[in-house]
């Protein structure tokens, strides 16, 4: 039976070829719009994920501030200072922590025989490489031996390499940091960098060796990687620091916590809202094509009234007539949908990347928007297409099935 119904549908479509072709084009355009809008929304979300992923999302930084709430007998306005004991405290008491890395920084003169600049120099430990995903492009990173022996070695950013050495091989070269000689042993891969940000100009040296440039008694900040719930880790971190330094854990000004996952979660909400909006717009566009399909099917019902009367006179039941016209609508929808998905894939491949973050940041081409047509997008678009096809085809099909056979045979 279904084979006969499908054959009748194809025959009716061939009989009205031009009208059918126009309707298919409309459905193809509608479904292509849905797919491309969803692909754009997915690409928008992926761009934000890429921006955060360059540093690692399961990462938290804590930095000392000044208390703004009274705690016990201590008045507000007390400056909090971190020491190396706090690094050990975090590693031992905060659940889920994997690596903990203290950081000291200071802006000092950085020179070689040809150039002189004033750049940030960071005293770091080897753990920071894992915490902040600091990938080495040339040479090596700072090691435990460098820490133990207080070696005067430096791992420099990609922009620092370009400005200091102008294309020369940097490894083994000497630079002076605040007048102290250091050997360049590594160059980092470039990170995405906005405007005048100094991210790729930082000079990294072993934490103990930083004592030649700055007092290492107090730590400027502590970065850590972790697994588990980011909010639970942040609460445990604030509790540990509050207990150690005598401030309330609720005092947001006592310590500043950079919870990368929390920030990413906010952008994910924005991305999800955008995708819902784009889906709504796409469904409206496809709905317009569905209205076109409905009108065409209503015209078809009117033109084939006598045919419907003959079929009913020969014993066709309502469900047979209903299925006949519904099948025709679904075939048109299916062909248009397939053509639309193929069109969407072709457009996504031809467009490539849409400038987004690279417009304001260097080395940020990976964070531009790419039209990502994933299987779940195709599934969503197909479900929407089927619903639109059913609704658009059902109304004309019901009208056809309800025709009185005697009146239908009299129709001219």
């Amino acid at each position: 039976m279904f084979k006969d119904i499908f054959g009748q549908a194809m025959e009716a479509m061939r009989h009205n070829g031009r009208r059918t072709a126009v309707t298919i084009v409309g459905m193809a355009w509608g479904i292509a719009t849905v797919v491309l809008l969803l692909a754009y929304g997915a690409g928008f979300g992926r761009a934000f994920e890429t921006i955060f992923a360059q540093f690692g999302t399961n990462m938290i930084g804590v930095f000392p501030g000044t208390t703004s709430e009274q705690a016990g007998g201590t008045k507000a306005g007390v400056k909090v200072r971190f020491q190396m004991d706090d690094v050990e405290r975090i590693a031992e008491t905060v659940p889920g922590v994997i690596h903990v890395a203290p950081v000291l920084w200071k802006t000092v003169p950085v020179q070689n025989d040809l150039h002189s600049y004033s750049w940030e120099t960071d005293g770091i430990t080897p753990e920071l490489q894992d915490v902040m995903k600091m990938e080495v492009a040339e040479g090596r990173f700072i090691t435990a031996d460098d820490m133990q022996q207080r070696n005067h070695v430096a791992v420099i950013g990609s922009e620092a390499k370009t400005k200091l050495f102008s294309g020369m091989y940097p490894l083994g070269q000497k630079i002076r940091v605040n007048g102290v000689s250091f050997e360049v042993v590594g160059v980092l891969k470039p990170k995405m960098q906005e405007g005048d940000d100094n991210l790729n100009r930082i000079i990294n040296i072993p934490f103990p060796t930083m004592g030649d440039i700055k007092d290492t008694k107090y730590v400027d900040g502590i970065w850590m990687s972790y697994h588990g719930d980011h909010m639970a880790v942040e609460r445990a971190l604030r509790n540990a620091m509050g207990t150690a330094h005598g401030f309330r854990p609720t005092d947001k000004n006592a310590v500043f916590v950079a919870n990368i996952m929390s920030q990413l979660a906010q952008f994910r909400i924005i991305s999800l809202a955008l995708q819902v909006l784009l889906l709504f717009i796409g469904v409206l566009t496809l709905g317009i094509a569905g209205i076109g399909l409905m009108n065409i099917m209503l015209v078809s019902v009117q033109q084939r009234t006598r045919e419907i009367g003959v079929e009913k006179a020969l014993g066709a039941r309502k469900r047979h007539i209903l299925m006949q016209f519904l099948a025709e609508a679904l075939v048109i929808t299916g062909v248009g949908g397939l053509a639309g998905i193929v069109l969407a894939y072709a457009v996504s491949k031809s467009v490539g990347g849409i400038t987004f973050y690279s417009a304001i940041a260097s080395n940020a081409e990976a964070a531009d928007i790419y039209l990502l047509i994933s299987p779940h997008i195709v599934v969503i678009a197909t479900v929407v297409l089927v619903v639109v096809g059913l609704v658009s085809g059902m109304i004309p099909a019901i009208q056809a099935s309800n025709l009185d056979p005697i009146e239908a045979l009299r129709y001219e």
Side-chain angles (χ1 to χ4, degrees):
M1 183 183 70
F2 288 104
K3 183 178 180 181
D4 294 337
I5 291 174
F6 182 78
Q8 287 179 329
M10 294 300 295
E11 181 63 31
M13 289 169 57
R14 284 193 293 268
H15 181 69
N16 299 288
R18 183 180 301 176
R19 184 178 65 193
T20 301
V22 171
T23 308
I24 288 175
V25 169
M27 296 302 294
W29 181 263
I31 195 64
T33 301
V34 173
V35 172
L36 289 173
L37 286 174
L38 289 176
Y40 182 89
F44 182 82
R46 188 207 63 86
F48 277 115
E49 296 281 350
T50 303
I51 294 170
F52 282 93
Q54 68 169 332
F55 298 105
T57 51
N58 284 18
M59 178 179 69
I60 290 178
V62 58
F63 309 94
T66 303
T67 61
S68 58
E69 299 177 12
Q70 183 176 349
T74 305
K75 295 182 179 180
V78 176
K79 190 172 183 180
V80 178
R81 291 180 179 271
F82 290 165
Q83 295 182 317
M84 289 301 294
D85 291 343
D86 292 305
V87 178
E88 298 178 5
R89 183 176 295 107
I90 290 172
E92 293 172 358
T93 63
V94 178
V97 169
I98 302 172
H99 297 291
V100 185
V103 180
L104 274 171
W105 57 75
K106 185 177 182 180
T107 300
V108 295
V110 177
Q111 304 164 317
N112 63 1
D113 294 336
L114 300 175
H115 304 282
S116 178
Y117 301 97
S118 182
W119 285 341
E120 178 183 326
T121 298
D122 289 0
I124 63 173
T125 63
E127 290 78 12
L128 192 65
Q129 182 178 20
D130 292 322
V131 173
M132 300 192 72
K133 291 189 175 180
M134 302 172 75
E135 299 182 51
V136 177
E138 301 177 64
R140 63 174 178 85
F141 200 73
I142 290 168
T143 65
D145 288 339
D146 294 327
M147 299 280 291
Q148 186 176 3
Q149 299 171 17
R150 298 185 83 255
N151 290 337
H152 284 66
V153 295
V155 177
I156 64 177
S158 58
E159 187 179 346
K161 168 200 166 183
T162 301
K163 289 183 176 294
L164 285 171
F165 300 105
S166 303
M168 294 192 309
Y169 187 68
L171 301 184
Q173 299 289 336
K174 298 290 185 179
I175 60 174
R176 295 183 299 279
V177 180
N178 202 33
V180 181
S181 179
F182 284 81
E183 179 185 348
V184 177
V185 295
V187 179
L188 297 176
K189 289 184 179 180
K191 298 278 191 180
M192 300 178 193
Q193 176 179 303
E194 296 183 23
D196 294 330
D197 193 353
N198 68 344
L199 185 61
N200 292 316
R201 295 194 297 267
I202 296 175
I203 308 298
N204 299 284
I205 63 176
F207 189 91
T209 316
M210 188 71 177
D212 295 342
I213 298 172
K214 180 181 179 178
D215 185 4
T216 59
K217 181 179 179 181
Y218 297 111
V219 177
D220 291 323
I222 302 173
W223 286 100
M224 67 207 72
S225 59
Y226 64 92
H227 59 79
D229 179 41
H230 63 99
M231 293 307 299
V233 173
E234 180 178 338
R235 285 193 297 270
L237 175 63
R238 288 188 179 277
N239 289 333
M241 293 293 98
T243 301
H245 294 276
F247 63 83
R248 296 178 185 272
T250 56
D251 190 349
K252 303 296 183 181
N253 294 321
V255 292
F256 301 100
V257 176
N259 191 333
I260 306 302
M261 185 60 75
S262 179
Q263 298 173 22
L264 178 57
Q266 297 175 8
F267 282 107
R268 283 175 174 170
I269 293 174
I270 296 173
S271 176
L272 179 60
L274 176 64
Q275 291 183 58
V276 171
L277 175 62
L278 293 176
L279 176 61
F280 178 71
I281 295 172
V283 169
L284 288 180
T285 304
L286 187 56
I288 295 172
I291 292 173
L293 172 62
M294 186 188 302
N295 288 333
I296 292 299
M297 293 305 299
L298 287 171
V299 171
S300 179
V301 170
Q302 185 178 19
Q303 291 178 343
R304 295 160 63 186
T305 300
R306 285 182 61 85
E307 175 188 332
I308 296 169
V310 171
E311 290 180 0
K312 285 198 168 187
L314 294 175
R317 297 186 177 183
K318 279 189 176 183
R319 66 173 182 272
H320 298 144
I321 305 299
L322 180 70
M323 288 300 298
Q324 177 183 340
F325 282 88
L326 187 58
E328 184 176 337
L330 289 179
V331 168
I332 293 174
T333 302
V335 174
L338 181 60
I341 291 173
V342 172
L343 175 62
Y345 269 104
V347 171
S348 67
K349 294 297 182 183
S350 61
V351 168
I354 301 172
T355 301
F356 179 57
Y357 195 52
S358 64
I360 59 174
S362 57
N363 310 308
E365 289 75 16
D368 283 339
I369 296 175
Y370 293 86
L371 300 178
L372 304 175
I373 303 178
S374 61
H376 82 271
I377 287 179
V378 175
V379 170
I380 292 173
T382 302
V383 170
V384 172
L385 179 68
V386 170
V387 172
V388 170
L390 284 172
V391 172
S392 301
M394 186 63 72
I395 294 175
I398 291 174
Q399 179 178 330
S401 66
N402 287 331
L403 285 176
D404 182 84
I406 297 176
E407 294 296 327
L409 288 170
R410 290 177 178 174
Y411 185 82
E412 295 294 339

